[in-house]
Amino acid sequence: MLIAQMSDLHVTSDGRDVCGVVPTNAMTERAVAALLRLSPRPDLVIVSGDLTEHGHPEDYAALATLLAPLPMPVYAVPGNHDRREARRAAVDHAGFLPQQGPLNFTIDAVPMRSVVLDSLGEDRSHCALLPATLAYLDSALS
């Protein structure tokens, strides 16, 4: 099992450089192209950290477009720049996200199990594990 991880993409809907200097959308395109050149290719991709810069629905549409060339399953968990409901509505193609609450999920990819935890603290610069997330972790590890 080969797993690739990408982190802190900070995708924007308009493709503008973040803080006027970081071409995050172009960097995401290059990362996707690099994954596609790997031999063997990863069996799945986990995207963590800030998926988008602002957490707007149109940012998630841009994210989906940038990740669309990847033929393998892509699992994404939000960072503090993201918004749960916009993320849930826009990118849940595979149906792995819960319908409400924290965006915790488990990837059962033989021979391993990955437990992905949502530590998003919306409207805060720091993150924390909510009681519901800790309960999810306990259940997933059981």
Side-chain angles (χ1 to χ4, degrees), residues 39-64:
S39 181
R41 283 189 179 164
D43 297 297
L44 63 92
V45 176
I46 297 175
V47 184
S48 61
D50 299 318
L51 306 174
T52 69
E53 179 62 11
H54 304 291
H56 299 142
E58 55 273 13
D59 296 330
Y60 293 103
L63 175 67

Side-chain angles (χ1 to χ4, degrees), residues 19-99:
C19 298
V21 295
V22 183
T24 56
N25 288 29
M27 293 169 75
T28 299
E29 286 178 351
R30 288 196 302 270
V32 166
L35 289 175
L36 292 173
R37 287 192 304 272
L38 291 176
S39 181
R41 283 189 179 164
D43 297 297
L44 63 92
V45 176
I46 297 175
V47 184
S48 61
D50 299 318
L51 306 174
T52 69
E53 179 62 11
H54 304 291
H56 299 142
E58 55 273 13
D59 296 330
Y60 293 103
L63 175 67
T65 298
L66 289 168
L67 297 178
L70 295 172
M72 68 286 291
V74 177
Y75 299 93
V77 64
N80 65 308
H81 284 227
D82 293 298
R83 296 290 175 260
R84 280 188 190 95
E85 294 315 313
R87 159 69 177 98
R88 189 183 333 266
V91 191
D92 190 18
H93 314 292
F96 61 89
L97 293 176
Q99 296 300 310

